[in-house]
Amino acid sequence: DTEVTQTPKHLVMGMTNKKSLKCEQHMGHRAMYWYKQKAKKPPELMFVYSYEKLSINESVPSRFSPECPNSSLLNLHLHALQPEDSALYLCASSETGGFTDTQYFGPGTRLTVL
Amino acid sequence: QKEVEQNSGPLSVPEGAIASLNCTYSDRVSQSFFWYRQYSGKSPELIMSIYSNGDKEDGRFTAQLNKASQYVSLLIRDSQPSDSATYLCVEEGGGKLIFGQGTELSVKP
């Protein structure tokens, strides 16, 4: 089973709302990732969790707040977003985060900020 | 700054032909390379990974790596309309994936 699940599939929110994106994997992977992808562009890395600790933060604005409650779950809390934050948010996981690891992507959450 | 360069296309090939996708990378010490396929509106899915110089074949797909020249390629034999997608060339760099801009492939029936 190489499945990463993400909920919700679609999310529309206002600039004053607080919402959360959820990602789950049951492959026993110890590294999990959040990416943001705009149309016609490659994914941009936001955060990396390795063994439940934040290991990479690509200088993402504080209105995005990641959380890793356990090794299977990764959340992205959203607050006071801007319309330019509208994008496809992808979660991925890999075995350990090592350089030969394959990253498996979830289906993504399509976020629209009004 | 590590970079992966790809021709954005679109690359158009007739059904049954060989599609050739190429990319170059700037970091000489990189060891791991991946090709992901992404259909419009969907998430990337892994097609091939390659770590050593030479060719690696999997069904209709062949990945080629030349570390001396710093290029990676993907050949798709007997191209099908279902292969129409954006192909992302990806390099592993320090625990992160470095993505190329992607090449849009269109296979015409």
Side-chain angles (χ1 to χ4, degrees):
Chain A
D1 180 12
T2 56
E3 190 177 20
V4 177
T5 59
Q6 288 186 245
T7 54
K9 285 186 167 46
H10 301 274
L11 178 62
V12 179
M13 60 186 289
M15 290 189 285
T16 57
N17 291 159
K18 282 186 183 182
K19 296 285 185 184
S20 296
L21 309 184
K22 183 176 172 180
C23 173
E24 194 165 3
Q25 56 87 14
H26 294 290
M27 295 178 277
H29 288 176
R30 303 311 300 269
M32 296 184 77
Y33 311 77
W34 279 116
Y35 291 86
K36 173 184 175 180
Q37 188 175 25
K38 302 282 266 186
K40 303 282 190 188
K41 296 290 186 184
E44 296 172 35
L45 183 65
M46 301 174 74
F47 303 103
V48 181
Y49 272 84
S50 180
Y51 291 84
E52 295 156 57
K53 296 214 180 324
L54 184 64
S55 60
I56 296 177
N57 177 341
E58 293 287 276
S59 301
V60 177
S62 59
R63 57 186 184 267
F64 295 92
S65 175
E67 179 199 15
C68 190
N70 60 57
S71 59
S72 302
L73 277 176
L74 185 65
N75 299 320
L76 186 63
H77 303 298
L78 315 172
H79 174 54
L81 294 193
Q82 304 296 308
E84 60 265 29
D85 296 321
S86 298
L88 180 67
Y89 287 83
L90 295 162
C91 174
S93 72
S94 69
E95 262 191 67
T96 63
F99 70 91
T100 60
D101 273 9
T102 295
Q103 287 190 25
Y104 296 93
F105 285 85
T109 293
R110 176 75 58 189
L111 174 67
T112 302
V113 182
L114 301 176
Chain B
Q1 179 83 0
K2 298 177 184 181
E3 289 188 348
V4 176
E5 300 277 345
Q6 286 184 261
N7 186 331
S8 61
L11 173 66
S12 184
V13 301
E15 185 175 356
I18 295 176
S20 178
L21 305 159
N22 303 304
C23 94
T24 58
Y25 60 94
S26 61
D27 186 356
R28 285 203 155 269
V29 301
S30 289
Q31 298 188 54
S32 303
F33 301 88
F34 308 88
W35 283 99
Y36 281 82
R37 176 177 65 196
Q38 188 170 26
Y39 293 111
S40 181
K42 302 293 186 183
S43 62
E45 58 177 320
L46 182 73
I47 299 294
M48 296 280 281
S49 58
I50 186 164
Y51 312 113
S52 309
N53 273 328
D55 295 0
K56 180 180 177 183
E57 188 174 318
D58 184 0
R60 296 187 295 114
F61 299 94
T62 299
Q64 300 172 316
L65 174 60
N66 183 322
K67 291 187 179 182
S69 302
Q70 293 177 238
Y71 85 77
V72 194
S73 65
L74 180 70
L75 299 178
I76 306 175
R77 289 180 298 283
D78 188 24
S79 295
Q80 301 296 309
S82 58
D83 294 325
S84 298
T86 295
Y87 289 80
L88 297 160
C89 177
V90 185
E91 166 194 9
E92 193 284 337
K96 303 191 292 189
L97 296 185
I98 314 295
F99 286 84
Q101 290 297 306
T103 297
E104 187 181 344
L105 172 67
S106 177
V107 181
K108 304 291 188 188

